[in-house]
Amino acid sequence: MFAAGTAAFGTLPAGKKMVIGMSQCNLGEPWRVQMNADIKKAAQKVPGLDVVFKDAQNDTLKQRAQVEEFINSGVDLLIVSPKEAAPLTPPIAEAYKKGIPVIVLDRKVLGNDYTMFIGADNKRIGLAAGRWIAKRLGGKGKIVELKGLMTSTPGQDRNSGFRQGIKGSGLQVAFEADMKWLEPDARKEMESALAVHSDVDLVYAHNDPGAHGAYLAAKAVGREKNIMFVGIDGLPQEGQAYVKQGLLEASFEYPTGGKEAVENAMKILGGKKGLPKELKLESRVFTKANIDKGGELLK
Ligand code: FRU
């Protein structure tokens, strides 16, 4: 184990340098920019620790190639936030089997060939969103569900959790579409939803950019005041700000895990034993009623 030192996340032995390769699936959303910033900030506290970032620009093949590049360049540890589960599984497994520790961050891969997964529980977030929405609408209403990329695990879990949360209520999902986590796609899908449904009560979007895209589509046809919008991510500069402005009814926090990734990278590099295979992060819900108190922890 490295010395605890005075640094927040431990220190490397004097004069020792280590490199973490960080494979980010894209930097299109503020949330991913924040994740990289959180990693950078945490890593700066450890003298001798360097993080090299690669951005796959939302291209799965590019991300696979970038993970391979990291393996070949001999990084000491890899952090990967994968775009999609299945295609990123083989290169991550390859790194792991070659002895490079891999922290999988936020979106999961298949199987167990990685060192640690860090992320919040998307099923739980979806479930909480479903229950909260059912309560907010008094148990009945027409919903539009704008889903995140369904080949990524948060999209799948935010969908299945939500469906479980509204089960037995009178809520009806009248329109659903995969907006792939992207605001412009969400806006387009919402235009279609509005064209066929004159009585939408609420939009449940799997992320805040999606909820914002839906809001803009409704606003363009003067219907934004008759519809509620709920999103996920809850960044201070995005979802929380939207809730404060009254644009979103609620935003469920999805922490980036950047700080925790560096913290655990240091433990792994220091040879600490008995670390968990999965580190679950807490999540909060922000609503108009609780935003000034900093939201409320999901139970
Ligand atoms: C950003 C993002 C977030 C979302 C996360 C899920 O690319 O879509 O908005 O919470 O990825 O992995």
Side-chain angles (χ1 to χ4, degrees):
M1 206 27 206
F2 299 144
T6 46
F9 307 125
T11 54
L12 298 173
K16 185 142 179 97
K17 296 215 175 305
M18 285 207 162
V19 179
I20 294 178
M22 162 57 188
S23 165
Q24 179 59 273
C25 62
N26 86 86
L27 284 173
E29 286 87 48
W31 189 84
R32 292 200 177 273
V33 174
Q34 188 62 50
M35 182 198 276
N36 277 15
D38 290 345
I39 290 173
K40 198 168 166 197
K41 187 172 166 208
Q44 273 166 351
K45 297 190 177 137
V46 186
L49 184 65
D50 192 21
V51 184
V52 178
F53 292 88
K54 284 186 197 280
D55 168 19
Q57 297 173 321
N58 220 15
D59 178 339
T60 290
L61 290 180
K62 192 177 234 169
Q63 190 169 27
R64 284 178 63 134
Q66 290 180 339
V67 172
E68 295 286 350
E69 283 164 26
F70 275 137
I71 296 173
N72 294 333
S73 71
V75 291
D76 296 295
L77 182 142
L78 259 173
I79 300 174
V80 186
S81 193
K83 177 176 176 192
E84 294 171 288
L88 267 307
T89 299
I92 286 175
E94 184 194 330
Y96 180 69
K97 285 181 184 156
K98 283 188 170 155
I100 302 172
V102 188
I103 296 178
V104 178
L105 195 52
D106 132 64
R107 298 184 189 172
K108 291 182 176 169
V109 288
L110 311 177
N112 287 308
D113 289 331
Y114 55 87
T115 312
M116 186 187 282
F117 171 77
I118 301 177
D121 186 339
N122 283 298
K123 212 160 176 158
R124 184 169 161 215
I125 292 172
L127 181 79
R131 288 186 179 150
W132 190 88
I133 288 167
K135 197 167 164 210
R136 180 70 185 84
L137 291 179
K140 59 177 195 310
K142 247 190 188 181
I143 308 288
V144 169
E145 181 178 3
L146 296 175
K147 299 184 280 195
L149 187 69
M150 289 303 276
T151 47
S152 71
T153 55
Q156 295 159 5
D157 292 344
R158 290 175 195 183
N159 167 256
S160 63
F162 175 71
R163 297 305 174 112
Q164 203 179 320
I166 63 168
K167 219 179 185 157
S169 77
L171 297 193
Q172 180 209 349
V173 179
F175 184 99
E176 59 184 295
D178 190 337
M179 51 81 176
K180 307 189 194 78
W181 304 116
L182 304 173
E183 174 157 345
D185 290 47
R187 185 171 178 164
K188 246 185 20 234
E189 294 296 351
M190 186 63 185
E191 283 166 7
S192 305
L194 291 168
V196 287
H197 296 285
S198 56
D199 51 353
V200 174
D201 295 297
L202 187 145
V203 175
Y204 164 57
H206 288 191
N207 66 359
D208 290 333
H212 188 244
Y215 170 83
L216 292 179
K219 193 170 155 68
V221 292
R223 286 173 63 183
E224 83 281 9
K225 293 208 167 60
N226 303 326
I227 302 173
M228 295 178 196
F229 302 87
V230 172
I232 297 172
D233 278 346
L235 287 178
Q237 67 273 32
E238 192 183 38
Q240 290 184 49
Y242 292 155
V243 170
K244 275 190 194 148
Q245 291 157 21
L247 215 135
L248 293 192
E249 201 63 19
S251 177
F252 289 75
E253 180 195 21
Y254 191 55
T256 71
K259 176 170 88 70
E260 290 80 1
V262 174
E263 206 170 341
N264 283 280
M266 285 300 289
K267 289 182 185 164
I268 293 164
L269 289 169
K272 188 162 195 249
K273 296 275 168 278
L275 294 172
K277 187 86 185 175
E278 179 163 344
L279 183 67
K280 263 194 193 152
L281 305 176
E282 292 294 345
S283 175
R284 312 180 75 81
V285 56
F286 300 101
T287 65
K288 197 149 217 170
N290 72 21
I291 188 106
D292 291 334
K293 295 178 291 180
E296 196 182 313
L297 206 61
L298 291 193
K299 277 168 241 124

